[in-house]
Amino acid sequence: MWFQKNIVLNARPRGFHLITQTLIQELPQLRQYKIGIAHFFIQHTSASLMINENADPTVRSDFESFFNRSVKEDEDDYLHTYEGSDDMPAHIKSSLLGQSVTIPISQGELNLGIWQGIYLGEHRNHGGERRIIVTLQGECY
């Protein structure tokens, strides 16, 4: 069985945000799937999705610090600057991290590891709402 839903996330500040529970709350249909795949795709070029540690919030702070050092704003060789100094770096970060994650579904739940969660990487200072398309595929009860 296939299912698809658009989820709109409220605007968040720049940084890495754990969104696993928000996504699960928006997907009561997930409980119908005995086995399957959940695919999450963000429809933006200046934000990203990834899976990483869900326990210690300093991991998310360290990611933000690392990427800000690695992909700096106000570089002289950026041509794409008309949307602000954070725009081109946001596109680069999004390309490095990716726009989608795929997670197994087992017994009506996302089958993440015990310390894993889904992150939204918000790479703009004022990114606004973010849209995620979720596609579930699998065998239902």
Side-chain angles (χ1 to χ4, degrees), residues 20 24 51 54 102-104 109-118:
T20 313
I24 290 171
I51 296 173
N54 67 358
T102 303
I103 302 168
E109 296 181 351
L110 297 178
N111 197 346
L112 290 161
I114 192 164
W115 301 113
Q116 290 182 324
I118 304 169

Side-chain angles (χ1 to χ4, degrees), residues 85-97:
S85 63
D86 65 336
D87 189 41
M88 190 61 217
H91 293 314
I92 294 169
K93 293 171 188 177
S94 174
S95 293
L96 290 171
L97 293 167

Side-chain angles (χ1 to χ4, degrees), residues 12-137:
R12 288 174 167 75
R14 183 168 162 169
F16 289 84
H17 305 277
L18 194 57
I19 60 169
T20 313
Q21 290 308 312
T22 301
L23 295 174
I24 290 171
Q25 289 172 358
E26 290 286 329
L27 290 169
Q29 299 82 0
L30 187 62
R31 292 188 293 270
Q32 299 172 9
Y33 286 80
K34 181 176 180 180
I35 187 172
I37 295 289
H39 182 261
F40 299 86
F41 175 80
I42 191 163
Q43 293 185 301
H44 302 276
T45 60
S46 57
S48 59
L49 293 177
M50 60 186 273
I51 296 173
N52 219 292
E53 181 175 323
N54 67 358
D56 184 352
T58 62
V59 172
R60 297 187 293 278
S61 297
D62 288 345
F63 270 120
E64 180 67 8
S65 296
F66 171 82
F67 280 101
N68 287 339
R69 282 191 316 274
S70 301
V71 184
K72 295 182 173 113
E73 294 183 21
D74 298 315
E75 292 290 327
D76 291 337
D77 56 345
Y78 292 154
L79 301 176
H80 180 71
T81 59
Y82 61 89
E83 293 182 61
S85 63
D86 65 336
D87 189 41
M88 190 61 217
H91 293 314
I92 294 169
K93 293 171 188 177
S94 174
S95 293
L96 290 171
L97 293 167
Q99 290 76 35
S100 67
V101 294
T102 303
I103 302 168
I105 300 169
S106 301
Q107 308 304 318
E109 296 181 351
L110 297 178
N111 197 346
L112 290 161
I114 192 164
W115 301 113
Q116 290 182 324
I118 304 169
Y119 285 15
L120 165 69
E122 177 54 70
H123 308 304
R124 296 295 310 269
N125 292 326
H126 306 285
E129 291 181 337
R130 297 303 190 174
R131 293 178 314 278
I132 296 177
I133 298 176
V134 183
T135 304
L136 306 178
Q137 177 191 13

